[in-house]
Amino acid sequence: MEYVLYVKAEDQNGRIDDKQFQSTPEERLSIVGGKRPPQFYLPKYEKTIPENSAKDSDIISVKAKSFADREIRYTLKAKGQGAGTFNIGPTSGIVKLAKELDFEDVRQPHIYQLVVTATEDSGGFSTSVDLTIKVTDVNDNPPKFDLPDYQAHNIDEDIPIGSSILKVKARDDDSGTNAEINYSVSNDHFRVDNKGIIFNKKVLDADDNNAYYEFTVTATDKGEPAKEGTATIRIYTKNKNDEEPKFSQQVYTPNVDENAGPNTLVTTVVASDKDGDNVEFGFVGQEKESGQFVIERMTGVIRLRQGEIALERDKYELNVTAVDDGNCCTGGQHTRHTSTAVVVVFITDVNDNKPVFKDCATYHAKVEESAPNGSPVITVHATDEDKGVNGQVRYSIVQQPNQKGTKFTVDPETGEVTTNKVFDREGEDGKFVSVTVKATDNGDPSLEGVCSFTVEITDINDNPPLFDRQKYIENVKQDTNVGTNILRVSASDEDADNNGAIIYNLTAAANAGDLDYFEIQPESGWITLKKPLDRESYRLTAVAQDRGFPPLSRTVDVQIDVVDRANNPPVWTQAIYGPIYIKENLPVGAGIISVKASSGIEDNPVVFYRIIRGSTAQTNKHDTFYLQQRPDNGDTWADIKVNHPLDYESIKEYNLTVRVENNGPQQLASEATIYVVLEDVNDEIPLFTEREQETVLEGEPIGTKVTQVNAIDKDGTYPNNEVLYRIVDSPRNEGRDFYEIRERTGEIFTRVEFDREEKQAYALEVEARDGAASARPNANGRPNTDDTVTCQN
């Protein structure tokens, strides 16, 4: 009835060694003949499911084979606890979960022992097999603390680090690692071990957090994912006098003006004690005074002391202390604490010194004419006795009165003065140019000092000699004696010294033989006869050359025509007139001199006069003077008159040449020279170099110097250019009773002691007048004057 076989499966290629292949263990196969009940495919069935498996979910499929080829129906039965927890499909053999599981429910087993029976239809055979279903735990429960809030009271704030403070306990209803717990705390002052005991990691402080610590302790299980529970911890501390006073800052840096008076507030030091103690202040050694400073014990206010104050250093260092009184706690007086801070009092400079050019009187600068723009002239230096920014000086050029633009520039930082134009000594610049440099400090308000000096424009040989005529033509009698002066050529050179010194000589380009008859005096320019005349005309060239290096020269044609010996030239009453002194304010049309010459011809007194227009302003290039002929009792006079306004400050002397010709068959001529010298009149007004704004400190003694005003008078002579100063005596001049001025220097001094709170500023009107009666119209004999306003704060 039964055949038994043993079977195994071998891997054809997977050898273990030469004799063995990889294979399964042998299995027993029983083949039974005849009728038999259904047979399950496995001898027993097992399944493990998590507790959170869903209701009605498929758990396992159980199958049996009918050897009679009949339909099989399945039933399920529990051996012990758990009936109704699972059911089976009657025809499918699929076991399903009939109700929800809970691993932590003590009424539910963790292992279900079930029997599945397979029965053939129509009263056939049946057979059964064991089904074991194991339920596993899921981490579905968080840890729970025994208490939601743990508290510890009266914990001394000075307990040692690592002291045990309290214990917490958490539980987890899960199993295995899902129930294993780790603890943690949210405050780094504390730590907790695995038993839930909380220790302090740092020194406690009853003075922080209102004398208690509140934080969270967390219990975390080892499930995946982990779950956690929390509780609140409150640890109440007990205060001890363990804190020293703390200053609000370790270093205080107040500023005090150098002229501060007694009781001036310096600063207030602030300290607090976290224990709640009161704090007392002092200097080192609990002293109330330190040098010129006093401190208030309870408030920490530091002031300058009573009496005379002398702040002579840049800074003062004060060591201050704060001491608690121990009133915070029982026995606190026995553990008083002290802390220190430093007060560095910086003495602030008051801008009470103006910049001063100490060497101003010694400045004698020179610059060569034609020097390029930007050429160095001189470096000025001003000092300011103030400190810091109040003593830092910047330089600038002050615009000169009635001057277009500034002829110089100055480096604001270094004081180096350089040219701002190319100068022409012979032009409008002249030989000397005045400069005013201003030094301004960086105070607020700033103070100023000025220095005026003269820059000499040195000469270069940039002007050639200029003849006073375009051409010389002279008639000479045939019988003129050898050695006679024939005519004088005249040239002028605007340069100075050797650059303007002229030497004359003659050439004869057309006929060299003409030089045999004439020679020229090198210094005077007189052309004299060397040998008797024997031709009708001579053509010469006069050369004027200066002594500069290199020398410059000009030429002029000289034509000498010979006339019959019977002819005579006109004769002047004198060959040279002057010097004639006239005032520079002589009106246009005024006559300066009348000159006369006779014709030299009997019975023919007619003569003709004219002024020679020279090549320079001094030789009437611009027709500054003109000539009028005037008959008088058979004679003819030449009146020399002013044609244009004169100015002593521009041109002081003129050299006029007057030529007279007779009316003979061959006109002869003679020349006379008129020297005109101008006299200065008081026609220039003194002009202030700038409008001043000055400061003076309140409380300064009477006689304190405030400033110095400066005015320039361009007149050429004393006393016309003398400048005198005074304070304007007028009701509108609000500062006239508070200041006085030095008449000759312009220095202004105080007459009272000022109080800034009473009045902060005064406008002071100052007058500059020159030293002589004015020559300007409607002056009524008074000097020329200019006013300026000086403001004082």
Side-chain angles (χ1 to χ4, degrees):
M1 286 184 64
E2 181 178 16
Y3 299 86
V4 178
L5 302 175
Y6 290 90
V7 297
K8 71 175 180 179
E10 278 190 349
D11 187 333
Q12 181 175 348
N13 295 321
R15 288 181 176 275
I16 297 175
D17 52 33
D18 292 342
K19 297 179 180 181
Q20 289 182 306
F21 293 91
Q22 294 183 125
S23 65
T24 66
E26 290 183 353
E27 296 288 346
R28 182 179 183 276
L29 173 62
S30 172
I31 302 174
V32 179
K35 295 181 178 180
R36 59 173 296 181
Q39 180 179 341
F40 285 95
Y41 285 91
L42 293 176
K44 61 180 179 180
Y45 290 86
E46 292 183 349
K47 184 68 174 180
T48 300
I49 62 173
E51 63 172 317
N52 61 349
S53 298
K55 181 183 177 182
D56 296 328
S57 62
D58 295 347
I59 303 302
I60 192 170
S61 177
V62 179
K63 290 289 187 180
K65 178 176 174 60
S66 172
F67 293 100
D69 286 334
R70 292 183 178 182
E71 290 290 327
I72 294 177
R73 299 189 68 80
Y74 299 96
T75 57
L76 182 63
K77 183 179 179 182
K79 288 185 179 182
Q81 288 181 302
T85 305
F86 301 94
N87 58 35
I88 192 168
T91 58
S92 65
I94 295 174
V95 178
K96 294 178 180 279
L97 179 63
K99 61 182 181 181
E100 293 181 346
L101 302 176
D102 184 2
F103 189 86
E104 289 75 38
D105 191 344
V106 296
R107 296 170 298 178
Q108 294 186 17
H110 294 165
I111 300 175
Y112 289 86
Q113 300 290 345
L114 306 172
V115 176
V116 180
T117 300
T119 304
E120 293 179 340
D121 286 347
S122 304
F125 295 110
S126 65
T127 186
S128 298
V129 67
D130 289 336
L131 170 59
T132 301
I133 298 177
K134 296 180 179 179
V135 179
T136 60
D137 183 45
V138 173
N139 190 24
D140 55 353
N141 289 285
K144 294 181 180 178
F145 282 96
D146 294 345
L147 297 172
D149 189 329
Y150 293 87
Q151 297 184 3
H153 293 271
N154 291 323
I155 304 299
D156 288 339
E157 65 172 337
D158 59 350
I159 60 173
I161 294 175
S163 297
S164 171
I165 297 175
L166 59 84
K167 183 177 182 180
V168 299
K169 179 65 178 177
R171 307 175 188 279
D172 194 315
D173 291 337
D174 291 316
S175 302
T177 57
N178 291 337
E180 295 179 9
I181 293 174
N182 287 329
Y183 295 99
S184 63
V185 291
S186 63
N187 190 322
D188 62 2
H189 272 74
F190 303 91
R191 67 177 179 86
V192 61
D193 65 9
N194 289 334
K195 296 179 181 179
I197 299 175
I198 293 177
F199 305 86
N200 63 319
K201 285 173 59 180
K202 299 180 180 179
V203 175
L204 302 183
D205 189 352
D207 311 299
D208 287 334
N209 308 310
N210 295 320
Y212 79 97
Y213 294 88
E214 181 177 316
F215 56 94
T216 301
V217 61
T218 301
T220 306
D221 62 30
K222 296 183 179 180
E224 186 64 41
K227 290 185 176 292
E228 63 182 33
T230 61
T232 299
I233 306 294
R234 291 184 178 88
I235 298 175
Y236 294 89
T237 56
K238 188 165 60 176
N239 192 23
K240 296 287 185 72
N241 188 20
D242 60 343
E243 296 286 348
E244 65 178 22
K246 288 282 193 287
F247 280 97
S248 59
Q249 55 198 75
Q250 281 304 110
V251 180
Y252 295 83
T253 56
N255 295 306
V256 176
D257 284 349
E258 63 177 340
N259 59 351
N263 294 324
T264 297
L265 175 66
V266 176
T267 188
T268 300
V269 294
V270 177
S272 59
D273 192 310
K274 290 166 68 175
D275 289 323
D277 291 330
N278 298 317
V279 177
E280 295 180 358
F281 300 95
F283 296 118
V284 170
Q286 282 297 293
E287 295 294 330
K288 181 182 178 182
E289 292 192 16
S290 177
Q292 301 185 81
F293 301 89
V294 295
I295 188 169
E296 294 178 6
R297 192 171 298 279
M298 301 309 298
T299 64
V301 172
I302 299 176
R303 297 179 181 274
L304 293 178
R305 68 183 183 187
Q306 292 274 12
E308 186 177 347
I309 301 296
L311 301 175
E312 297 172 347
R313 295 190 300 204
D314 291 340
K315 65 180 180 180
Y316 293 83
E317 290 192 10
L318 308 173
N319 293 311
V320 294
T321 61
V323 182
D324 64 18
D325 59 4
N327 286 337
C328 66
C329 337
T330 304
Q333 297 86 351
H334 304 301
T335 54
R336 297 178 70 178
H337 300 278
T338 301
S339 60
T340 61
V342 177
V343 178
V344 182
V345 183
F346 289 94
I347 306 306
T348 304
D349 182 72
V350 175
N351 194 21
D352 55 355
N353 291 285
K354 66 192 299 184
V356 176
F357 293 89
K358 295 181 179 178
D359 299 326
C360 183
T362 66
Y363 292 152
H364 299 293
K366 294 183 180 181
V367 65
E368 193 176 73
E369 66 170 331
S370 299
N373 196 349
S375 297
V377 179
I378 192 174
T379 298
V380 299
H381 180 67
T383 56
D384 192 315
E385 294 183 359
D386 291 314
K387 299 171 184 175
V389 296
N390 293 335
Q392 295 173 358
V393 172
R394 292 180 65 83
Y395 302 95
S396 60
I397 296 290
V398 177
Q399 175 90 26
Q400 291 290 320
N402 296 339
Q403 189 180 92
K404 296 178 181 178
T406 56
K407 298 184 178 182
F408 299 90
T409 59
V410 63
D411 187 295
E413 304 294 337
T414 66
E416 183 182 17
V417 178
T418 54
T419 59
N420 197 34
K421 62 169 292 183
V422 177
F423 286 92
D424 181 6
R425 183 178 183 274
E426 293 76 39
E428 65 176 12
D429 297 319
K431 302 174 183 178
F432 297 93
V433 180
S434 61
V435 187
T436 299
V437 182
K438 179 167 64 177
T440 306
D441 62 30
N442 287 332
D444 185 18
S446 60
L447 300 180
E448 300 172 347
V450 294
C451 171
S452 296
F453 57 94
T454 299
V455 177
E456 180 183 354
I457 309 302
T458 60
D459 185 54
I460 65 170
N461 194 22
D462 58 346
N463 290 285
L466 293 176
F467 284 99
D468 58 6
R469 303 189 200 176
Q470 303 294 325
K471 183 177 181 181
Y472 292 89
I473 301 176
E474 192 66 46
N475 292 327
V476 181
K477 291 177 64 174
Q478 188 177 17
D479 60 354
T480 300
N481 295 324
V482 173
T484 300
N485 289 338
I486 304 300
L487 80 151
R488 182 186 182 189
V489 297
S490 179
S492 60
D493 192 316
E494 293 184 342
D495 292 318
D497 302 325
N498 282 339
N499 294 333
I502 297 173
I503 298 176
Y504 300 95
N505 61 70
L506 286 176
T507 63
N511 185 352
D514 289 356
L515 287 178
D516 297 335
Y517 293 88
F518 302 95
E519 64 182 359
I520 192 167
Q521 295 178 10
E523 301 293 338
S524 66
W526 276 106
I527 298 175
T528 59
L529 188 63
K530 286 172 61 178
K531 72 177 187 176
L533 299 171
D534 56 11
R535 284 193 277 117
E536 292 183 355
S537 180
Y538 298 86
R539 299 289 185 269
L540 304 172
T541 299
V543 180
Q545 178 174 292
D546 62 31
R547 295 177 183 266
F549 182 81
L552 300 177
S553 63
R554 283 286 176 88
T555 62
V556 69
D557 291 335
V558 178
Q559 178 179 326
I560 298 176
D561 295 325
V562 180
V563 298
D564 187 81
R565 60 175 55 90
N567 289 344
N568 291 309
V571 178
W572 288 98
T573 56
Q574 57 189 85
I576 297 174
Y577 296 89
I580 300 167
Y581 294 93
I582 63 173
K583 300 289 187 181
E584 64 170 319
N585 62 344
L586 206 62
V588 172
I592 64 168
I593 191 174
S594 296
V595 295
K596 185 182 71 165
S598 59
S599 69
I601 304 174
E602 289 186 14
D603 302 325
N604 188 0
V606 177
V607 290
F608 304 97
Y609 299 98
R610 64 187 176 97
I611 290 183
I612 302 297
R613 180 182 294 160
S615 301
T616 62
Q618 289 83 353
T619 58
N620 211 39
K621 176 182 179 180
H622 304 301
D623 295 324
T624 307
F625 299 91
Y626 70 98
L627 181 150
Q628 279 187 337
Q629 292 198 171
R630 173 173 55 86
D632 184 8
N633 294 324
D635 294 324
T636 303
W637 291 77
D639 295 332
I640 310 300
K641 297 184 178 183
V642 178
N643 194 38
H644 296 302
L646 307 175
D647 184 12
Y648 178 88
E649 287 70 42
S650 298
I651 299 176
K652 297 178 175 57
E653 296 181 0
Y654 292 89
N655 181 7
L656 308 178
T657 300
V658 180
R659 184 176 180 87
V660 62
E661 295 179 350
N662 59 23
N663 198 24
Q666 291 179 311
Q667 286 186 315
L668 296 182
S670 295
E671 294 179 354
T673 300
I674 302 174
Y675 292 106
V676 181
V677 178
L678 299 191
E679 293 180 339
D680 183 40
V681 300
N682 191 15
D683 59 346
E684 295 287 345
I685 297 174
L687 296 176
F688 283 97
T689 56
E690 61 177 327
R691 183 183 176 93
E692 302 262 350
Q693 178 161 335
E694 298 294 342
T695 61
V696 65
L697 294 175
E698 63 175 346
E700 287 289 316
I702 295 172
T704 298
K705 182 178 177 180
V706 177
T707 186
Q708 183 173 4
V709 294
N710 183 45
I712 297 174
D713 191 308
K714 291 186 177 180
D715 279 315
T717 60
Y718 179 89
N720 296 337
N721 58 8
E722 178 187 22
V723 179
L724 303 172
Y725 303 93
R726 71 181 184 94
I727 292 174
V728 176
D729 187 12
S730 167
R732 74 173 185 274
N733 189 8
E734 63 179 11
R736 71 184 189 279
D737 296 328
F738 304 103
Y739 302 92
E740 63 182 10
I741 193 167
R742 299 284 167 80
E743 183 181 42
R744 296 193 175 278
T745 66
E747 295 174 291
I748 297 175
F749 299 87
T750 60
R751 292 179 60 186
V752 299
E753 188 173 309
F754 291 101
D755 182 359
R756 189 174 186 274
E757 286 66 40
E758 181 178 314
K759 186 174 177 62
Q760 295 184 11
Y762 293 87
L764 177 65
E765 190 175 359
V766 178
E767 177 187 270
R769 69 185 188 279
D770 54 29
S774 174
R776 298 169 72 91
N778 302 318
N780 297 322
R782 293 189 300 268
N784 295 316
T785 60
D786 183 31
D787 291 350
T788 188
V789 175
T790 299
C791 295
Q792 176 262 313
N793 295 318

